[in-house]
Amino acid sequence: MKRSSYHHGDLKNSIIKSCHKLLQKKGASDFSLREVATLSGVSHAAVYRHFQDKEEVLEILSSIGFDRLGSLQKKVPQVLGNPDEYFVKLGLVYIQFAIKNPNYYRLMFHTKRSDESSILKRSKLKSYAILVRGCRFYLKTKRRKENHRSFALMAWSLVHGYSNLCIETDFPETESKTLKKSKLQMAEDILRFAI
């Protein structure tokens, strides 16, 4: 077996990087820790010295996904003079993330866990908090009286539902041809209708 050139302390990160590569190519259920070990250039047993099981690896990958989504949403500038554009861009970032990373997205949102790790819970809450703060900023800037948490749930339901349609069905693709608009242009229209 060909060994990778990693330092001993980097083995855990090397394994996570291999998992990331496999997740990008396959769904979470379609790769094994044996494949991860081979890609990392280590023995199967070495993987189990760092991770209890595949479920632990998937939780780490899921938390990485939430962290990446949150960091993309944080980059959307809050502009006092144009809160509508901010709201639309915040939603489009979510949808683009889902379309570009369908296997991560499925892992993050389609996997129910009865006993989540504190790392995953924290990543989820941080990601959702960005949306809640964004909706509070939007409503306050527009001088609207709706509850920002309820508005955030509406906004999340909207982008989450559209993202699922894009990943799981052909419907947005067929509508996009009929309307002569890209899926993202249609997403932008939907977000504008919501405000």
Side-chain angles (χ1 to χ4, degrees), residues 25-67:
K25 291 179 187 174
K26 306 175 168 197
S29 60
D30 296 332
F31 72 84
S32 67
L33 290 185
R34 194 168 293 283
E35 285 177 281
V36 170
T38 302
L39 188 60
S40 301
V42 298
S43 71
H44 191 221
V47 175
Y48 284 98
R49 280 196 285 278
H50 291 279
F51 302 99
Q52 184 178 339
D53 53 23
K54 186 178 172 183
E55 184 60 28
E56 183 183 359
V57 172
L58 294 179
E59 280 209 354
I60 290 169
L61 289 174
S62 190
S63 85
I64 289 169
F66 280 109
D67 291 343

Side-chain angles (χ1 to χ4, degrees), residues 62 65-66 69 73 94 97-98 101-113 120 124 127-128 156 159-160 163-164 167:
S62 190
F66 280 109
L69 174 59
Q73 289 183 306
Y94 183 102
F97 175 85
N101 304 282
N103 290 335
Y104 258 102
Y105 185 81
R106 286 185 188 105
L107 176 63
M108 290 159 61
F109 292 109
H110 296 187
T111 308
K112 260 191 174 178
R113 293 179 175 87
L120 180 55
K124 280 181 165 183
S127 175
Y128 188 62
W156 183 29
V159 294
H160 187 72
S163 296
N164 276 335
I167 291 171

Side-chain angles (χ1 to χ4, degrees), residues 61-106:
L61 289 174
S62 190
S63 85
I64 289 169
F66 280 109
D67 291 343
R68 286 182 178 170
L69 174 59
S71 117
L72 289 168
Q73 289 183 306
K74 265 186 179 173
K75 289 179 185 173
V76 178
Q78 292 184 344
V79 183
L80 286 170
N82 205 339
D84 288 351
E85 286 310 302
Y86 168 74
F87 179 81
V88 169
K89 285 180 181 168
L90 193 64
L92 287 176
V93 162
Y94 183 102
I95 293 165
Q96 284 173 313
F97 175 85
I99 291 171
K100 287 181 181 175
N101 304 282
N103 290 335
Y104 258 102
Y105 185 81
R106 286 185 188 105

